Amino acid sequence: MFTVVSENSSATFNWLMTELMKNPQVTAKAQAEIREAFKGKKTIEESDIQKLKYLKLVIKENLRVHPAVTILPRACREECEVDGYTIPYKAKVAVNIWALGRDPQYWEEPETFKPERFENSSLDFLGNNYEYIPFGAGSRFCPGMNFGLANIEVPLAQLLYHFDWKLPHGTNSDDLDMSEMPGVSVQRKNKLYVIATPYNPPIEG
Ligand code: HEM
């Protein structure tokens, strides 16, 4: 329980910062949205987050390419047939969320980080579309989804509102290290170093 709560959220957050560093145009668009929506505010509250449509798309796209849980282990309850293969009773089946999220059969340019792909799409987090199941699907669906999302949306919005971000001198966004470390949650293999510069929003009044 403690592992899924902290590890899944921290893995997701690490990858989000990585993708934002790798895709400065996405960062600029997300920051413009946040700074326009909260112009004149000293800080961001949880209730403000609903205004941030693009930020939510960024989080959605990040969970497509970097699902914190990559494999769902299952056991077959009765013999059945899938795509012409007989799956015997009790067979162990691994549902690969990572591969589904990058399958070119379902996704245009799957390796490109493009939050806009979700703009006019009905795909949600609820496990109704099997090509996109970052919180699982069915009876073992993640019960912490709403908490997990709020846990990412609020701090991310605050970090993007209050700071500008860049990579350390000599690091290029094109050759950012994207190595993964397998585990309960898929974390970055190596640390991500970023430089934060405080941004002082113009305060009204
Ligand atoms: C971004 C954050 C998170 C992601 C991506 C995530 C994803 C998942 C996934 C894929 C599963 C497996 C579902 C299945 O087997 O079908 C799961 C299970 C679970 N998650 Fe989350 N999770 C996150 C955050 C959280 C949080 C914050 C909590 C608790 C507050 C939580 C509690 C649980 C529990 C208890 C299960 C086991 C459910 C069961 O086996 O019946 N998760 N999560």
Side-chain angles (χ1 to χ4, degrees):
M1 182 72 187
F2 284 123
T3 307
V4 291
V5 174
S6 56
E7 287 287 304
N8 286 351
S9 303
S10 74
T12 303
F13 214 92
N14 274 332
W15 286 114
L16 256 169
M17 288 307 285
T18 308
E19 288 294 352
L20 288 173
M21 290 297 103
K22 204 168 169 54
N23 299 279
Q25 74 292 354
V26 172
T27 313
K29 196 167 164 181
Q31 263 176 331
E33 177 189 62
I34 296 167
R35 290 178 181 175
E36 178 57 34
F38 303 124
K39 207 161 36 182
K41 282 193 95 172
K42 264 192 187 156
T43 189
I44 300 174
E45 318 286 334
E46 197 178 330
S47 53
D48 293 330
I49 296 297
Q50 298 321 318
K51 295 181 197 161
L52 303 175
K53 304 273 180 271
Y54 190 68
L55 188 89
K56 285 172 181 280
L57 300 185
V58 172
I59 293 170
K60 227 173 185 181
E61 175 70 336
N62 183 65
L63 282 166
R64 176 183 72 82
V65 278
H66 304 290
V69 178
T70 52
I71 304 279
L72 296 181
R74 292 289 187 269
C76 200
R77 281 199 298 199
E78 58 189 58
E79 185 178 299
C80 59
E81 203 177 298
V82 178
D83 273 350
Y85 294 93
T86 302
I87 316 292
Y89 170 57
K90 283 193 172 174
K92 288 187 179 141
V93 180
V95 179
N96 191 336
I97 304 183
W98 188 96
L100 287 169
R102 294 178 185 237
D103 190 333
Q105 199 182 326
Y106 306 112
W107 306 96
E108 211 175 283
E109 295 182 61
E111 300 298 328
T112 307
F113 191 83
K114 199 165 54 170
E116 289 79 2
R117 73 172 76 241
F118 286 105
E119 208 154 27
N120 297 311
S121 143
S122 60
L123 286 186
D124 57 27
F125 292 119
L126 300 175
N128 297 319
N129 306 89
Y130 292 128
E131 68 270 39
Y132 186 68
I133 49 169
F135 291 95
S139 56
R140 306 307 295 265
F141 185 81
C142 174
M145 181 190 77
N146 286 330
F147 179 56
L149 286 173
N151 214 6
I152 292 163
E153 289 165 352
V154 181
L156 182 65
Q158 287 172 334
L159 288 180
L160 290 179
Y161 185 58
H162 292 290
F163 296 93
D164 287 323
W165 297 91
K166 65 178 182 192
L167 289 167
H169 184 65
T171 322
N172 190 323
S173 62
D174 289 335
D175 46 46
L176 247 182
D177 177 11
M178 301 297 279
S179 313
E180 298 174 335
M181 188 169 66
V184 177
S185 306
V186 174
Q187 295 278 359
R188 283 183 57 81
K189 185 170 177 198
N190 300 307
K191 284 188 175 147
L192 172 73
Y193 291 96
V194 282
I195 296 175
T197 312
Y199 163 80
N200 291 317
I203 307 296
E204 278 176 2

